[in-house]
Amino acid sequence: LFSSRFVGINASDINYSAGRYDPSVKPPFDIGFEGVGDVVALGLSASADYTVGQAVAYVKAGSFAEYTVVPAKQAVPLPSVKPEFLSLMVSGTTAYISLKELGELSEGKKVLVTAAAGGTGQFAVQLAKKAKCHVIGTCSSDEKGGFLKSIGCDHTINYKTENVESVLRRDYPEGVDVVYESVGGKMFDLAVNCLATKGCLIVIGFITGYQNPTGLQPIKAELLPAKLLRKSASIRGFFLNHYFSEYKMALKHLLEMYERGELVCEVDFGDMSPEGKFTGLESVFRAVDYMYMGKNIGKIVVELPHSVNSKL
């Protein structure tokens, strides 16, 4: 049994709660994908590997809960209960595995990261920089642009004040080699248009569409075959669930990088949101809204305070 101290907010929480990921699940069902906390009780098989009070993280559906039963093999032992570790569980591993498996990064490649100051974008920027790439990040404010520069982003584009497509055309006439794309809609179309010869667009998500009844926003796909053919370009989808064989290795590497101070794990508790810090399960709704308003810098995390008169 696991007592959750911090839970992570993901754009896909809305897809899951809307029944799009698993239409067979009928409400009411538990939601949330990831948590960090400590072990409060152990089953027989788990007691060989874990101790009460040990810090662990886990990724499984139903994490928006104060207490959760987690199978021992799904838990990840951690050095301490820190919200920064939570940012690596889904967001960090998504960036790590997708860029490693699909991005074919190498020195000098130009990499465009959309929603670059978000929970997973921050890792795509840093990992592409570690691969000695030139990194361009789109974001929605100058404050976010400042954060991106602080983590090594070479060129930031504020899409609220600049025309992204004309900036890319002007500064990268040959196009970009890899796009890490999680916005969808117009941004997807724009990303396809700015691909270089043999460029690759990796679809991580399409947050602009998740709040639509169908979860999709139309894209100008009818010209897609011609555009891809003309550039020998490719579009690859990436869904973390299909890469669990790579997961443990990726997470181990990310944790080591963070522990050595080589990786920034920016966490946003919503201190700047209208009603303040995201505390308690009742603030999950606010946290999701905050993300969809594009306000967060880094990974949105909700803290679950534990009172002395706990329900256990």
Side-chain angles (χ1 to χ4, degrees):
L1 184 67
F2 171 91
S3 159
S4 198
R5 293 270 304 285
F6 300 103
V7 293
I9 304 295
N10 291 283
S12 41
D13 288 331
I14 280 191
N15 275 345
Y16 192 70
S17 61
R20 292 186 195 120
Y21 278 178
D22 187 355
S24 69
V25 182
K26 295 285 175 273
F29 55 85
D30 296 332
I31 55 173
F33 294 133
E34 53 186 343
V36 166
D38 31 52
V39 177
V40 288
L42 290 162
L44 280 176
S45 63
S47 53
D49 301 310
Y50 293 94
T51 54
V52 169
Q54 185 173 358
V56 288
Y58 70 97
V59 176
K60 87 182 241 286
S63 71
F64 291 160
E66 291 172 348
Y67 294 94
T68 315
V69 175
V70 180
K73 63 178 187 299
Q74 283 185 6
V76 177
L78 294 174
S80 59
V81 179
K82 282 172 84 169
E84 284 78 8
F85 291 129
L86 195 53
S87 68
L88 299 174
M89 300 303 297
V90 170
S91 302
T93 53
T94 294
Y96 185 101
I97 300 169
S98 65
L99 289 173
K100 179 173 176 283
E101 297 293 315
L102 311 179
E104 295 177 1
L105 300 185
S106 58
E107 186 168 352
K109 279 197 173 180
K110 297 177 188 73
V111 178
L112 171 66
V113 180
T114 64
T120 187
Q122 64 172 328
F123 295 111
V125 167
Q126 293 178 82
L127 294 169
K129 282 306 295 174
K130 287 192 187 312
K132 300 191 163 96
C133 296
H134 175 91
V135 183
I136 309 133
T138 70
C139 60
S140 59
S141 73
D142 291 342
E143 189 192 356
K144 290 184 181 189
F147 165 66
L148 289 174
K149 289 214 165 68
S150 78
I151 58 170
C153 193
D154 297 290
H155 188 166
T156 62
I157 306 174
N158 180 344
Y159 66 82
K160 293 276 175 79
T161 58
E162 300 173 83
N163 181 311
V164 180
E165 193 150 21
S166 52
V167 171
L168 290 169
R169 277 220 191 96
R170 181 193 73 210
D171 294 343
Y172 306 96
E174 302 291 306
V176 298
D177 303 299
V178 180
V179 184
Y180 184 90
E181 214 299 271
S182 59
V183 175
K186 291 189 176 73
M187 189 63 86
F188 174 88
D189 288 326
L190 186 160
V192 169
N193 291 340
C194 78
L195 279 175
T197 302
K198 296 186 184 173
C200 174
L201 188 155
I202 305 172
V203 178
I204 301 299
F206 33 94
I207 192 170
T208 49
Y210 295 167
Q211 289 169 300
N212 291 9
T214 61
L216 286 168
Q217 242 193 351
I219 53 164
K220 298 194 180 83
E222 65 274 10
L223 298 173
L224 201 52
K227 285 177 178 176
L228 296 178
L229 176 68
R230 201 169 67 235
K231 296 173 172 177
S232 291
S234 64
I235 296 176
R236 303 284 301 268
F238 178 86
F239 189 44
L240 187 60
N241 292 19
H242 300 145
Y243 286 85
F244 276 145
S245 58
E246 307 290 317
Y247 184 82
K248 280 215 151 113
M249 176 278 300
L251 185 59
K252 182 173 178 284
H253 195 188
L254 287 164
L255 286 166
E256 286 167 358
M257 286 162 71
Y258 174 68
E259 290 280 270
R260 289 197 302 262
E262 294 169 11
L263 200 62
V264 173
C265 298
E266 188 70 19
V267 170
D268 191 332
F269 279 112
D271 295 301
M272 297 296 146
S273 67
E275 292 167 56
K277 189 174 175 178
F278 303 134
T279 308
L281 287 173
E282 62 278 9
S283 70
V284 164
F285 306 104
R286 285 203 298 122
V288 171
D289 280 346
Y290 182 71
M291 173 172 8
Y292 276 87
M293 288 187 295
K295 299 292 189 200
N296 58 299
I297 294 183
K299 176 81 182 181
I300 300 181
V301 172
V302 174
E303 183 170 7
L304 305 184
H306 280 226
S307 57
V308 181
N309 55 353
S310 133
K311 295 177 188 62
L312 268 189

